[in-house]
Amino acid sequence: MSLVSVERNGAIAVVLLNRPDALNALSDKLMDELVSTLEDLDRDEEVRCIVLGGSERVFAAGADIGELAQTSAIELYYQRRVERWDAIRGLWTPLVAAVSGYCLGGGCELAMACDLIVASESAVFGQPETGLGIIPGAGGTQLLTRAVGKPLAMDVILSGRRLSAREALAAGLVARVVAREAWLEEAKRVAREIAEKGPVATRLAKESVDRAFETTLAAGLEAERRALYLAFASEDAKEGLTAFTEKRKPDFKGR
Ligand code: CO8
């Protein structure tokens, strides 16, 4: 059985983690499948936005604890398991996390590797790793801190405090909170909105926002200006600006 399901729906793709018996624990095999699925979709120009979700009960309950318990530090190091997460953060295509239910440990890190999180009322976020004697090692200490600031990140990571969807929204970890039963539909709706925009502009904008976390303000603003000039040079920009003046919907080609 495949550990990841994929559904194409026009310009959006929906990827769902599919390991219900283990609450979508992110085993090595699941992560392999997930990364190669996402990389395939990323290469497909027709795909303009990807939704990544779990089920209504659980987004993902973290790395596979049984598997980690059997893995030595040197195996972890040589197999470069954690490095694989960089591939997700490096995708070009905008990635929307649809989070319902538990979103813990590596699950929370996976959601944070996406560009934005749409959470259902039932979502529960946490980084319980220190309770297992390890630390959030797939981006959690960095991404959570950037999203919610040091005091709350320290609280969540050191005490194991879980955040409700509303708390996560107030703290800036999630972009939108939606009704429990709408967890996937609303994320798809957001993805369709993103997919309707100019594909070149969307990618350049995503790259520019990400740069805000990597560089100084002056260098980030300079990079943003260059991205703007590049966007301006695209056929999409011509089409988008003309369509507005002609009072019609733009027909973007991603060129
Ligand atoms: N790994 C493996 N199996 C799991 C995991 C997990 N993370 N979480 C749940 N399961 C399994 C349970 O063992 C159980 O299996 P079985 O039915 O065979 O006994 C099944 O899923 C159902 O789980 P529960 O019975 O526990 O369900 P509950 O509803 O009672 O509880 C909880 C749900 C609260 C989510 C609970 O399962 C739980 O606390 N899970 C663990 C959460 C956790 O600690 N996550 C952090 C893991 S460590 C991590 O993510 C490190 C990431 C960074 C390193 C990356 C390196 C590759």
Side-chain angles (χ1 to χ4, degrees):
M1 189 183 70
S2 180
L3 297 170
V4 166
S5 75
V6 189
E7 185 192 293
R8 281 289 303 274
N9 200 327
I12 72 165
V14 180
V15 176
L16 298 180
L17 307 174
N18 182 31
R19 203 183 164 211
D21 294 349
L23 302 189
N24 291 338
L26 306 168
S27 62
D28 209 26
K29 197 160 172 292
L30 186 151
M31 285 305 293
D32 264 347
E33 267 189 51
L34 176 63
V35 170
S36 76
T37 301
L38 292 174
E39 287 182 331
D40 285 348
L41 291 170
D42 200 40
R43 276 189 288 272
D44 184 339
E45 280 188 27
E46 304 286 305
V47 177
R48 294 184 178 176
C49 191
I50 304 170
V51 175
L52 174 61
S55 63
E56 188 180 324
R57 181 180 180 204
V58 60
F59 179 74
D64 188 312
I65 297 173
E67 207 174 80
L68 281 184
Q70 305 292 322
T71 307
S72 74
I74 299 301
E75 278 167 350
L76 206 59
Y77 176 60
Y78 271 117
Q79 292 164 4
R80 300 173 62 85
R81 285 197 202 173
V82 191
E83 278 78 350
R84 262 188 319 211
W85 296 64
D86 294 338
I88 300 174
R89 284 189 293 275
L91 295 174
W92 261 36
T93 314
L95 194 56
V96 176
V99 174
S100 179
Y102 293 113
C103 185
L104 302 174
C108 190
E109 291 170 308
L110 180 59
M112 290 190 292
C114 298
D115 295 308
L116 63 109
I117 301 175
V118 175
S120 90
E121 296 275 3
S122 70
V124 177
F125 297 86
Q127 298 286 170
E129 286 91 337
T130 54
L132 300 166
I134 57 173
I135 71 163
T141 64
Q142 303 305 298
L143 299 174
L144 186 66
T145 308
R146 279 167 163 80
V148 305
K150 176 173 166 176
L152 187 55
M154 283 290 192
D155 192 2
V156 168
I157 291 169
L158 299 185
S159 77
R161 171 180 171 184
R162 292 178 182 171
L163 300 178
S164 68
R166 291 278 161 206
E167 287 171 315
L169 180 70
L173 175 60
V174 314
R176 305 185 191 203
V177 176
V178 302
R180 171 197 276 256
E181 61 282 2
W183 69 278
L184 188 54
E185 277 318 306
E186 280 295 314
K188 286 187 195 174
R189 200 178 55 73
V190 174
R192 277 192 292 272
E193 279 174 6
I194 293 173
E196 279 175 11
K197 307 291 187 289
V200 174
T202 302
R203 287 182 169 134
L204 288 170
K206 165 178 160 133
E207 201 179 294
S208 300
V209 173
D210 278 338
R211 203 178 290 258
F213 295 98
E214 304 285 349
T215 192
T216 62
L217 179 60
L221 290 172
E222 177 59 23
E224 181 194 76
R225 271 192 294 274
R226 288 176 188 282
L228 170 70
Y229 300 144
L230 190 53
F232 244 93
S234 69
E235 290 170 26
D236 283 354
K238 204 170 183 47
E239 167 63 10
L241 297 167
T242 310
F244 181 85
T245 58
E246 292 175 356
K247 301 191 186 304
R248 60 173 174 82
K249 255 188 106 176
D251 179 18
F252 293 122
K253 302 280 191 237
R255 285 285 175 276

